[in-house]
Amino acid sequence: MFTAENWPIGANMLSFGNRTSDGTPTLEASSSVWASQLRKVKALGVDQIDPTDAWLPLAKLSDERVEEFRRVLDGEGMSLSSISMTRNSVVDVEHGEENLADALRFIELAPSFGVGVVNTGFMQAITEKQAKAIWFWLEDGHHDDPALRDLAIERVRLLGDAAAAQGIQLSLEMYEDTYVGTADEAVSFVQDVDHQAVGLNPDLGNLVRLHREVEPWPEMFEKVLPHANFWHIKNYTRDYDPATGAYATAPMPLKTGYINYRQVIERALELGYSGPFCCEHYGSDSLGVIAENVQYVRQVLTSALA
């Protein structure tokens, strides 16, 4: 069990995007660019990151460039809290097998970085309408095909076997309209996978931001926390006007949003949660908010574990 001081709490590097200012993919950028971006995180008092594949897809790097990244990470005095794979579903009709190979590569690399969990999910690339919306979640996106659910279970079990062989865990990110798109669906899916190395990422921020009816957050967390082994953690405002049927949501720091994360984290600990946290935020100064969220989570842990 971790202490409040050494609990892995990382910043999601999505804030930097996957291209440099001149349009170069981060994957192809020089190590000095990686170092510069890591330095900005370190300057905010955060020394752990999740190098999501939406920033730097480690699985796509050659062995030589992986070692180059490792040297940069060590040189900046930073480490990885977790590794997340996003919008690269292993049952994507066109790219599923490639994504599966990448997921296996992430699992292979994780232990060498001291990472105990690799996150994946079934969300897919945002649509053109989503890309044009002020917030992408305001437009309808990908819906998982029920006919592929058995294949999804089969491939997740394969990843679970690979993770277990490496002594790590695989986590499935909850996301609307996927096989793990509601609390009940997520629990059902992970139970059907039935693998000791596979758990849930209870990223309910993905759900409470939707402009549709969703289950109350305390009820959702009570269902999914017993299966949680990793946590993308973020918060939003949420309002509903019954007179007009209108919803309103917007990203907020963990401390000030709709979900009471002090209550939820304490409940997670009661249920035995021991996985890493990855702090996220969209819009505004996302990196600055993420840094505040990292400190907030650590403070809540300090209080809860006292």
Side-chain angles (χ1 to χ4, degrees):
M1 186 71 174
F2 298 112
T3 66
E5 292 75 23
N6 66 12
W7 205 296
I9 309 172
N12 191 316
M13 293 293 283
L14 180 62
S15 298
F16 294 101
N18 62 3
R19 291 184 179 272
T20 65
S21 57
D22 65 2
T24 302
T26 309
L27 181 68
E28 301 171 8
S30 70
S31 59
S32 63
V33 171
W34 303 342
S36 173
Q37 294 177 340
L38 289 171
R39 213 165 291 139
K40 291 177 181 178
V41 180
K42 183 82 168 182
L44 292 171
V46 178
D47 58 12
Q48 288 189 303
I49 63 160
D50 184 315
T52 167
D53 60 355
W55 175 62
L56 181 63
L58 298 183
K60 300 290 190 186
L61 293 177
S62 66
D63 289 345
E64 292 75 17
R65 291 225 80 192
V66 168
E67 293 310 310
E68 190 176 359
F69 175 70
R70 194 189 310 277
R71 289 193 296 272
V72 168
L73 199 66
D74 292 344
E76 298 302 324
M78 303 190 73
S79 62
L80 304 189
S81 57
S82 51
I83 296 176
S84 289
M85 183 176 180
T86 60
R87 300 198 180 279
N88 288 298
S89 169
V90 296
V91 289
D92 183 299
V93 173
E94 293 186 32
H95 306 291
E97 291 187 3
E98 177 185 350
N99 294 340
L100 179 63
D102 284 349
L104 289 168
R105 172 71 167 154
F106 281 126
I107 290 168
E108 176 190 347
L109 289 171
S112 72
F113 285 95
V115 168
V117 62
V118 169
N119 173 80
T120 190
F122 302 108
M123 68 285 279
Q124 297 190 21
I126 63 174
T127 66
E128 185 176 343
K129 285 186 176 180
Q130 286 181 308
K132 291 179 178 178
I134 185 169
W135 302 115
F136 65 83
W137 53 85
L138 300 183
E139 291 286 350
D140 203 29
H142 166 79
H143 288 240
D144 272 341
D145 182 352
L148 296 178
R149 188 175 185 273
D150 287 346
L151 178 62
I153 290 172
E154 177 186 328
R155 289 185 171 175
V156 167
R157 281 186 186 144
L158 175 65
L159 294 176
D161 287 344
Q166 295 282 357
I168 67 170
Q169 295 270 306
L170 181 77
S171 196
L172 301 176
E173 180 176 349
M174 293 181 63
Y175 197 91
E176 78 268 14
D177 304 321
T178 69
Y179 303 121
V180 288
T182 67
D184 288 334
E185 289 170 344
V187 170
S188 175
F189 189 90
V190 79
Q191 287 178 335
D192 286 348
V193 169
D194 190 25
H195 198 294
Q196 62 179 1
V198 179
L200 292 176
N201 168 1
D203 189 356
L204 298 189
N206 288 337
L207 304 184
V208 301
R209 69 191 180 190
L210 299 174
H211 285 198
R212 65 174 84 163
E213 183 178 358
V214 295
E215 191 175 2
W217 62 261
E219 297 176 16
M220 289 193 286
F221 274 118
E222 196 64 24
K223 292 175 181 178
V224 300
L225 284 177
H227 306 277
N229 62 355
F230 174 57
W231 205 335
H232 279 170
I233 191 165
K234 55 182 178 282
N235 214 348
Y236 294 81
T237 60
R238 180 173 174 86
D239 193 22
Y240 171 67
D241 180 2
T244 63
Y247 291 92
T249 65
M252 291 291 285
L254 289 179
K255 187 167 65 174
T256 54
Y258 173 63
I259 297 169
N260 180 347
Y261 273 111
R262 184 175 298 274
Q263 175 183 326
V264 173
I265 292 171
E266 289 178 352
R267 178 57 177 153
L269 297 180
E270 289 175 0
L271 293 169
Y273 181 74
S274 59
F277 294 87
C278 173
C279 293
E280 300 183 316
H281 186 77
Y282 287 96
S284 61
D285 174 10
S286 58
L287 186 61
V289 175
I290 285 171
E292 292 178 358
N293 286 345
V294 169
Q295 300 309 319
Y296 170 78
V297 172
R298 202 167 299 283
Q299 189 282 320
V300 171
L301 290 172
T302 299
S303 174
L305 295 173

